[in-house]
Amino acid sequence: RPWLAEMHRFEWLRDLRAAGGEAGRRAGRELIDRWIDDNNRWDATSWSPELIGRRLTAWLNHFEFLGVGSDALFRGRFMLSATRQAAHLARVLPAGLGGSELLAAIIGLIHAGLIMPRGGGWNILGRRLLDQELPRQIRTDGGHCERSPSIHLALLRRLVDLRAAIATAGQAEPDDLGAAIAGLAQMIRLFQHGDGCLALFNDSNEEEDWLIDMALGRANGKGLLIKQAPDSGFQRLSSGRTVA
């Protein structure tokens, strides 16, 4: 199931984009076409709200890359499927989700609302849900309620991408978005060991130091290093090269 979920999220499109070239574009289009053919009807896994949100974010953020050299048939199928997925997401949210899964679904709905034709209603709904969830999930010290460094990093990257999409659309930034990004970046720095990777708490991975640095750079997260996060329950101790 975790492998299928990773496949259905389509977040690996960034790897095809990084590889670059027409071969990457063609592979991305072919795999999206196959997904549309194989998942035209509702399915508990492929159409789960969290996966729809992450898939919409990935599809729409990479449409410019995928669309180069594409034909009208692919573009039409792509937009029709994305519209159906966004409409389903808008109908079911919050869908019993909580934590980072709910935020991923909300972020995907906002992306659809910003980019898709006649998506204004999705944008309004998504922003309203985001305004509700950010104060609930991000504590006053910047920590996310799930207390996992890897989830902090993933959520930071999604929110930074969302902020960029909102700015590109020429719309006002949600009230709590900037504070949430700054708080998450602050916590990521607290979680970093001397090699730049993350401490291991709550099903976390070390992650890649360059990826963490890139996320912090995009978040403008190079501020003062905090040593305690009392609301989240973490304390950073350091002496010389030793960090706990």
Side-chain angles (χ1 to χ4, degrees), residues 8-26:
H8 285 298
R9 289 180 186 124
F10 273 81
E11 291 174 337
W12 39 264
L13 283 173
R14 68 169 67 97
D15 300 314
L16 292 179
R17 185 169 190 165
E22 181 56 31
R25 292 188 181 92
R26 186 167 57 251

Side-chain angles (χ1 to χ4, degrees), residues 31 47 68 71 82 85 108 122 151 169 178 183 189 208 220-221 227 229:
L31 290 165
W47 281 72
V68 174
D71 57 23
Q85 293 177 63
W122 301 334
I151 288 177
R189 297 191 72 232
E208 299 283 352
N220 299 318
K227 295 186 177 181

Side-chain angles (χ1 to χ4, degrees), residues 82-124:
T83 298
R84 292 184 63 209
Q85 293 177 63
H88 176 74
L89 197 56
R91 281 194 302 270
V92 301
L93 280 180
L97 297 176
S100 59
E101 290 187 347
L102 177 54
L103 284 175
I106 292 169
I107 290 168
L109 183 63
I110 297 174
H111 275 290
L114 291 170
I115 296 171
M116 301 289 291
R118 298 182 295 279
W122 301 334
N123 185 29
I124 292 170

Side-chain angles (χ1 to χ4, degrees), residues 3-234:
W3 190 95
L4 287 173
E6 187 67 25
M7 180 186 72
H8 285 298
R9 289 180 186 124
F10 273 81
E11 291 174 337
W12 39 264
L13 283 173
R14 68 169 67 97
D15 300 314
L16 292 179
R17 185 169 190 165
E22 181 56 31
R25 292 188 181 92
R26 186 167 57 251
R29 291 194 295 264
E30 289 173 356
L31 290 165
I32 287 174
D33 265 333
R34 285 181 57 185
W35 187 92
I36 293 171
D37 288 338
D38 294 341
N39 297 274
N40 196 39
R41 296 176 181 271
W42 182 87
D43 173 80
T45 298
S46 61
W47 281 72
S48 68
E50 185 254 352
L51 295 190
I52 290 176
R54 292 170 72 163
R55 183 167 56 247
L56 282 172
T57 299
W59 279 22
L60 296 171
N61 282 347
H62 292 89
F63 181 68
E64 184 178 357
F65 166 73
L66 296 167
V68 174
S70 65
D71 57 23
L73 177 61
F74 169 78
R75 294 192 296 272
R77 282 165 53 84
F78 179 101
M79 296 302 286
L80 178 59
S81 178
T83 298
R84 292 184 63 209
Q85 293 177 63
H88 176 74
L89 197 56
R91 281 194 302 270
V92 301
L93 280 180
L97 297 176
S100 59
E101 290 187 347
L102 177 54
L103 284 175
I106 292 169
I107 290 168
L109 183 63
I110 297 174
H111 275 290
L114 291 170
I115 296 171
M116 301 289 291
R118 298 182 295 279
W122 301 334
N123 185 29
I124 292 170
L125 174 60
R127 290 175 70 119
R128 178 169 59 80
L129 292 171
L130 187 71
D131 287 342
Q132 293 173 2
E133 286 302 312
L134 286 180
R136 289 176 182 170
Q137 297 196 30
I138 308 297
R139 293 174 167 154
T140 57
D141 55 17
H144 181 255
C145 60
E146 292 177 56
R147 305 175 71 246
S148 166
S150 285
I151 288 177
H152 276 74
L153 178 61
L155 186 54
L156 176 64
R157 296 177 69 193
R158 291 191 192 107
L159 290 177
V160 168
D161 285 343
L162 179 63
R163 182 170 66 180
I166 291 171
T168 300
Q171 297 188 11
E173 184 178 305
D175 292 338
D176 294 317
L177 182 56
I181 289 172
L184 288 168
Q186 184 173 258
M187 283 296 297
I188 290 293
R189 297 191 72 232
L190 180 146
F191 286 133
Q192 281 185 293
H193 280 294
D195 61 358
C197 296
L198 299 179
L200 301 179
F201 293 102
N202 300 317
D203 200 29
S204 183
N205 293 315
E206 291 181 339
E207 308 296 345
E208 299 283 352
D209 56 347
W210 63 269
L211 185 63
I212 298 168
D213 288 342
M214 183 171 65
L216 288 173
R218 294 188 64 210
N220 299 318
K222 295 295 185 180
L224 181 68
L225 173 63
I226 63 169
K227 295 186 177 181
Q228 57 185 350
D231 289 346
S232 299
F234 290 100

